[in-house]
Amino acid sequence: MKGGSSYRVRARHFSLTLIAVVFTTLFLWIWEKNPFLHLAQDQFLLPSSEFISDLPDESLLNVKEKEHFNEVDPNYVRPETYTKAIQESDIPFNNSTSTSSSSIRKVDGHSRTSSTRKVCNYAKGSWVPDNRRPLYSGRKCKQWLSEMWACRLTQRTDFSYEGFRWQPDDCEMPDFDRFAFMKRMEGKTIAFVGDSLGRQQFQSLMCMVTGGEETPEVEDVGREYGLIIAKGNIRPDGWAFRFPPTNTTILYYWSSSLCDLQPLNASDPKTEVAMHLDRPPAFLSRFLDRFNVLILNTGHHWNRGKINANRWVMYINGQPNQDRRLAAVGNAKNFTVHSIARWIDSQLPSHPRLKAFFRTISPRHFANGEWNTGGSCDNMTPLSKGSTVSKDESSDIVVESAVQGTRVKILDITALSELRDEGHIARFSVKATEGIQDCLHWCLPGIPDTWNEVLCAQI
């Protein structure tokens, strides 16, 4: 009996040892075969779910992510479509603000519990008629509004798209009062960092806070942020304006990819540019401590044609990227969005006065082609695609997953904007070209004003 018992013990130990060896070998093999596990590095965490290769795809949950209509050079390379977003199921998140409590009461338009605060879903609601719109004159706001986006100055005759406001279902969104807003922003700086859709939102806010009226006392303080016209450029990398009565600064910085871009040879105008996917723009690193509200956005510049035309070369950890999966444009975009969201989150403890927002992608509405192949958005009837957003989740799952578990807030404008295809520049461009429509940018006054109303409600 003793011998048999000893044999069974030894056999059990041998079995457990064999299982441990097999699992260890399997783990090491997976680790070796999945270089993405090595790319995370500190705060730049990657999802462990599968990255999808850069294949043509017409939509991201009904949002077409392609290159935007180029306002400067109409002859840029035809865009490729982006890939579907990666799922974010296995990232270890910290500082979660979710609550399972059933004891909730509404205070100041938000749901509260005794221990946590659950932010309202401002993206869920309906468009409703409002004869008090627009919030400013599209004819008068020439001080801030680019002529190419001022549809009141074009041959367009139907402006019914201006007469609606967004009404969230379960939270209050007070009417925008420019005087109250500027008083609330006294001594503060609001910074938009992103592409031309971010620039539209910036111009919209400038018109909203001035009522579209000429405001000569506003100071141009772009030099404080290095926003000057560099040699060889036609415009600066952004603008910054200060309102002396309240000492409020509103600025915009052009960063279409939200990556740090560094020329490999500064003395060569045709040099390749290192596109550091895991680094925030140098502008953010330099001036973040001066911002009180930050709004990020990216999306429509992530295509192979634009990257090649700009001579951007993807870098990771200070070195040229060697991983073919990350070289896929859609994967690189997703990696960058997650990286900068986590970088901002890592900075917030040392910037307690800063509120950071990541704005979801603005939808395009090209039909029957692209901007240079006869694509159009000729609908002029408001809300022909419906008036209500009823889903709880965001249509931009890349941004939604990137901010999950961080202190960066989502500014979710995708689904509500998807319903407003009649609000684009369309064929009414100031410099209209036969057969070319702009179904990416919006008329102002217009949909970006609502983005700012949702932003102001969340600040």
Side-chain angles (χ1 to χ4, degrees):
M1 292 294 293
K2 280 189 176 181
S5 176
S6 176
Y7 173 80
R8 285 193 295 273
V9 170
R10 288 197 301 271
R12 188 180 299 111
H13 285 171
F14 175 80
S15 298
L16 292 174
T17 301
L18 180 61
I19 292 171
V21 169
V22 170
F23 273 95
T24 301
T25 303
L26 180 61
F27 175 80
L28 291 175
W29 182 85
I30 293 173
W31 179 268
E32 185 65 25
K33 294 295 182 180
N34 287 272
F36 270 100
L37 296 174
H38 303 277
L39 285 175
Q41 297 297 330
D42 299 328
Q43 71 267 34
F44 299 118
L45 298 176
L46 277 170
S48 59
S49 51
E50 182 180 1
F51 274 70
I52 303 173
S53 55
D54 192 26
L55 298 174
D57 183 80
E58 281 301 311
S59 67
L60 169 63
L61 294 182
N62 300 320
V63 181
K64 297 179 181 178
E65 291 189 326
K66 301 178 184 176
E67 171 59 18
H68 71 77
F69 185 95
N70 192 310
E71 69 217 30
V72 178
D73 181 8
N75 298 313
Y76 69 99
V77 180
R78 187 170 189 259
E80 300 173 7
T81 56
Y82 291 146
T83 61
K84 291 182 180 180
I86 53 176
Q87 300 298 316
E88 180 102 334
S89 58
D90 297 323
I91 286 186
F93 293 120
N94 297 316
N95 303 308
S96 176
T97 58
S98 62
T99 176
S100 60
S101 172
S102 60
S103 176
I104 300 176
R105 61 190 181 92
K106 294 186 70 173
V107 179
D108 299 330
H110 296 85
S111 299
R112 287 184 183 272
T113 67
S114 58
S115 58
T116 59
R117 174 181 178 180
K118 186 176 181 181
V119 179
C120 285
N121 185 356
Y122 287 94
K124 184 179 179 181
S126 301
W127 288 101
V128 296
D130 189 336
N131 58 15
R132 298 169 296 173
R133 305 299 164 118
L135 298 174
Y136 54 90
S137 169
R139 296 185 182 277
K140 295 183 178 180
C141 197
K142 297 178 181 180
Q143 188 175 0
W144 317 113
L145 179 54
S146 294
E147 183 183 24
M148 59 189 171
W149 295 332
C151 288
R152 285 278 182 177
L153 303 181
T154 70
Q155 294 181 352
R156 182 164 184 162
T157 58
D158 188 321
F159 302 100
S160 56
Y161 65 90
E162 294 180 346
F164 296 85
R165 64 178 171 85
W166 179 250
Q167 178 59 57
D169 279 350
D170 301 318
C171 45
E172 298 173 11
M173 193 167 79
D175 291 339
F176 179 80
D177 183 319
R178 61 191 181 102
F179 300 107
F181 177 75
M182 293 301 281
K183 181 64 178 176
R184 200 166 151 209
M185 293 294 105
E186 187 168 5
K188 293 179 171 58
T189 297
I190 303 168
F192 295 90
V193 177
D195 59 22
S196 59
L197 279 303
R199 183 182 169 199
Q200 282 211 296
Q201 191 174 359
F202 159 75
Q203 291 192 5
S204 163
L205 187 61
M206 291 297 295
C207 289
M208 288 169 67
V209 299
T210 59
E213 302 294 336
E214 291 291 318
T215 315
E217 69 271 18
V218 174
E219 301 174 356
D220 183 341
V221 294
R223 284 189 173 274
E224 292 184 16
Y225 297 90
L227 302 177
I228 57 176
I229 301 178
K231 184 178 180 180
N233 291 352
I234 61 174
R235 62 187 181 196
D237 288 333
W239 296 266
F241 299 102
R242 184 165 296 139
F243 294 77
T246 58
N247 193 33
T248 303
T249 302
I250 302 176
L251 68 84
Y252 163 77
Y253 178 74
W254 169 269
S255 180
S256 60
S257 66
L258 296 182
C259 292
D260 189 29
L261 301 175
Q262 295 293 334
L264 297 179
N265 181 358
S267 62
D268 180 5
K270 296 184 179 181
T271 184
E272 290 185 328
V273 177
M275 183 186 192
H276 293 281
L277 304 181
D278 53 357
R279 296 182 190 173
F283 180 84
L284 274 181
S285 299
R286 182 179 178 186
F287 295 109
L288 190 66
D289 63 337
R290 299 182 63 173
F291 302 157
N292 300 96
V293 179
L294 172 65
I295 306 96
L296 303 171
N297 90 281
T298 189
H300 291 291
H301 274 254
W302 287 90
N303 68 79
R304 182 60 61 187
K306 177 61 74 174
I307 290 174
N308 291 344
N310 287 331
R311 298 184 294 275
W312 289 348
V313 180
M314 296 181 186
Y315 270 57
I316 289 288
N317 295 325
Q319 300 295 326
N321 172 56
Q322 299 297 321
D323 191 285
R324 61 181 179 82
R325 290 173 297 175
L326 194 56
V329 174
N331 296 342
K333 186 203 80 166
N334 299 344
F335 177 83
T336 299
V337 169
H338 282 79
S339 294
I340 193 168
R342 277 152 181 74
W343 180 79
I344 292 291
D345 185 56
S346 73
Q347 301 300 305
L348 288 177
S350 56
H351 300 82
R353 296 181 300 173
L354 174 63
K355 292 186 177 181
F357 297 85
F358 211 127
R359 204 207 72 214
T360 61
I361 195 166
S362 172
R364 308 159 78 257
H365 289 95
F366 285 100
N368 303 315
E370 278 301 309
W371 69 271
N372 58 350
T373 59
S376 63
C377 45
D378 289 325
N379 175 49
M380 297 290 111
T381 304
L383 304 175
S384 59
K385 303 181 69 162
S387 62
T388 300
V389 175
S390 57
K391 60 183 180 180
D392 293 311
E393 68 278 5
S394 175
S395 292
D396 188 339
I397 60 177
V398 177
V399 170
E400 183 180 51
S401 64
V403 303
Q404 184 182 357
T406 74
R407 285 151 290 199
V408 180
K409 300 178 184 298
I410 188 171
L411 180 55
D412 192 359
I413 56 85
T414 304
L416 65 89
S417 303
E418 178 68 24
L419 298 173
R420 303 304 307 276
D421 60 317
E422 84 285 2
H424 287 294
I425 306 295
R427 63 182 182 275
F428 302 103
S429 172
V430 172
K431 299 179 181 179
T433 302
E434 185 68 26
I436 293 181
Q437 295 197 21
D438 182 355
C439 303
L440 174 75
H441 296 104
W442 304 91
C443 290
L444 290 176
I447 309 307
D449 303 334
T450 295
W451 304 350
N452 282 321
E453 289 184 278
V454 175
L455 170 67
C456 295
Q458 290 185 246
I459 292 177

